[in-house]
Amino acid sequence: MNHTRTQDSRSTLGLMAVAGVTVLLLFWWQGNKGINLWDEGFLWYGAQRVLLGDVPIRDFMAYDPGRYYWTALGLALMDSNGIMAVRAAVAVFQTLGLCAGLLLIAKSLPAGNRSSAVFLAISLVTLLVWMYPRHKLFDITLSLVSTGALTYLISKPVLRRFFLCGLCVGLVAVFGRNHGVYAAVASLAAIGWLSIGGATDVPLVRRVFVWGLGVTLGFVPVILMVLVVPGFALAFWNSIVFLFEVQATNLPLPIPWPWRVPVSVLPTGEAVRQLLIGVFFIAIPAFSLAALAWVTYRRWAGLGVERALVASAFLALPYAHFAYSRADVGHLALGIFPALVGALVWLSGRTPVLKFAASALLCLASVWVMYIYHPGWRCLAVHPCESVDVADQRILAHPINAREIAELRRLAEAFAPDGRSVYVAPFWPGAYALLEREAPNWEIYALFPRSHAFEQAEIARIRAADPGMAFILDFALDNRDDLRFKNTHPLTDAFVRTHFERVAFPDVEAYQIYRARSVAE
């Protein structure tokens, strides 16, 4: 028994080392490449503000608090507020997710087998290439950790594990309430599944109660913030209410079904990529439904089934919602991991020919879809990058991004010197992080239309901050004119036009530059 435990410990440590070294090498290759003032800037600015004592959701528009405090801790440990420190903190979190995924697959393989090592290597590449975009690696890791926690429960459904699984669900929700919902739905379904065939003698009500107790304890950080941090409870509640008001968690996009791909007008490689993207969108719910039928049949028949496959089956369908909420490659990557792990676990038990042929095909398809999106490849082969200074750190950025950074700095120096506030809308929260300025408003990512009352409150904040410059990106997101800032936030747009003076900027039509009238005078 002790010998077996020692072997398991060594195997776990070995996989942890592999995950750590792999992420480190990937970070070394592309950690300093690319810059995204949009979504990555959203995380970067939030981490900076937390480091200065602000509270996510209450003091600035944010996701759930966990990821900001984790990233801010990384910034504090590295004594930096730059983008590279943010990426390093995220990479550490990514290592946890990659390790969890590898462990789930490794547990389904024979130990000490050379073919198992080859299969794990294929799985490693498959998982790693889908880890995109890097500022959303929290979401990917949370899906993998949830899969691991549910597998842990199903493997031995004793009372203690119901509590620990619930504890993990609660902790996951601290980093992303949507992940908490996905994990909770999957956990409750799995708890019901365990009743088939008497897999556990713990009464159902007791199982759910102990699991719920764990969820509550795991969510204690947010509960304490609600109870103790002034103003957080109302802001947190408003963030929930807003989701019901807009009736969406994201701006939807048409699902890229493979039969809609214009194959005849695309280059062959891109046509194959678009077809595969459509296939992967179909594969997530298809895998979940097939896997659910499979594991339920096996349970009714009293036959064994891989525990990680069961966990993946129950999580894949909720995570399909994540992928479909905005059906682009980025969200496909965020929602695919439970299905991906489940497919690899299922393949691990098949005949060698099927096992290696199908896993290699899955790996090749994954690489072909995803490699082009990674910043290291884009700088290497797609768009040669330029060296640019970002918060006293040199990174390699796309020429367009390098010009954006240079222009933002030049405009801030001209119209808002000595740290004066600037106002940037609607999609560049990274500009505040880049310039190391506090946003004059709460809504740093103005995506959805807002009420007049909300806009009036935001205008009052902007007026009080007295920014020296306003930068409006007049951009029709998703080619929808109704999503231009002047249409989603007409009062704020009118305020800027009235209280600021437009500065001619012929280089980029979408850039609307304004200086405060006090600056103009």
Side-chain angles (χ1 to χ4, degrees), residues 407-418 422 435 437 469:
E407 287 296 340
L408 279 169
R409 285 202 173 112
R410 183 184 67 80
L411 292 166
E413 289 172 5
F415 304 132
D418 303 321
V422 299
L435 299 172
R437 314 280 175 97
M469 178 189 82

Side-chain angles (χ1 to χ4, degrees), residues 180-239:
V181 171
Y182 298 151
V185 169
S187 296
L188 290 171
I191 289 171
W193 178 87
L194 286 169
S195 299
I196 301 174
T200 176
D201 56 1
V202 181
L204 178 61
V205 173
R206 195 176 182 192
R207 280 179 251 164
V208 174
F209 175 79
V210 171
W211 172 84
L213 192 64
V215 172
T216 304
L217 187 60
F219 201 58
V220 156
V222 174
I223 294 173
L224 286 177
M225 290 179 71
V226 167
L227 296 175
V228 174
V229 178
F232 181 79
L234 180 60
F236 187 74
W237 173 251
N238 286 339
S239 70

Side-chain angles (χ1 to χ4, degrees), residues 307-509:
R307 305 316 186 196
L309 177 59
V310 179
S312 298
F314 283 111
L315 275 162
L317 202 55
Y319 270 93
H321 171 267
F322 205 171
Y324 280 76
S325 66
R326 181 168 173 81
D328 57 12
V329 170
H331 286 81
L332 173 64
L334 299 179
I336 200 173
F337 275 84
L340 207 58
V341 168
L344 290 167
V345 166
W346 184 81
L347 286 173
S348 68
R350 309 283 70 83
T351 62
V353 173
L354 176 59
K355 170 178 166 180
F356 286 102
S359 62
L361 185 62
L362 175 60
C363 182
L364 288 172
S366 299
V367 170
W368 189 254
V369 167
M370 294 304 301
Y371 81 90
I372 195 172
Y373 297 101
H374 285 267
W377 176 262
R378 296 188 72 82
C379 273
L380 179 68
V382 181
H383 298 291
C385 292
E386 296 178 2
S387 180
V388 61
D389 179 73
V390 177
D392 297 325
Q393 296 170 328
R394 303 300 294 180
I395 68 166
L396 296 172
H398 186 285
I400 292 177
N401 299 132
R403 287 196 295 274
E404 290 170 348
I405 291 169
E407 287 296 340
L408 279 169
R409 285 202 173 112
R410 183 184 67 80
L411 292 166
E413 289 172 5
F415 304 132
D418 303 321
R420 186 176 178 181
S421 177
V422 299
Y423 176 57
V424 181
F427 307 127
W428 278 8
Y432 299 122
L434 174 73
L435 299 172
E436 298 184 73
R437 314 280 175 97
E438 182 180 3
N441 61 319
W442 179 87
E443 190 186 30
I444 57 173
Y445 206 109
L447 191 63
F448 292 98
R450 293 283 188 169
S451 68
H452 283 197
F454 179 90
E455 283 201 76
Q456 293 288 7
E458 288 287 90
I459 290 169
R461 293 187 184 100
I462 297 168
R463 193 191 301 272
D466 188 28
M469 178 189 82
F471 184 108
I472 307 298
L473 182 62
D474 184 30
F475 180 74
L477 190 63
D478 298 338
N479 292 316
R480 289 175 53 182
D481 195 65
D482 63 306
L483 293 179
R484 290 184 187 274
F485 185 70
K486 65 182 179 182
N487 295 322
T488 60
H489 294 68
L491 297 184
T492 311
D493 185 70
F495 170 80
V496 170
R497 294 176 186 275
T498 302
H499 292 81
F500 291 79
E501 180 179 304
R502 181 78 178 265
V503 177
F505 195 88
D507 295 351
V508 183
E509 185 179 352

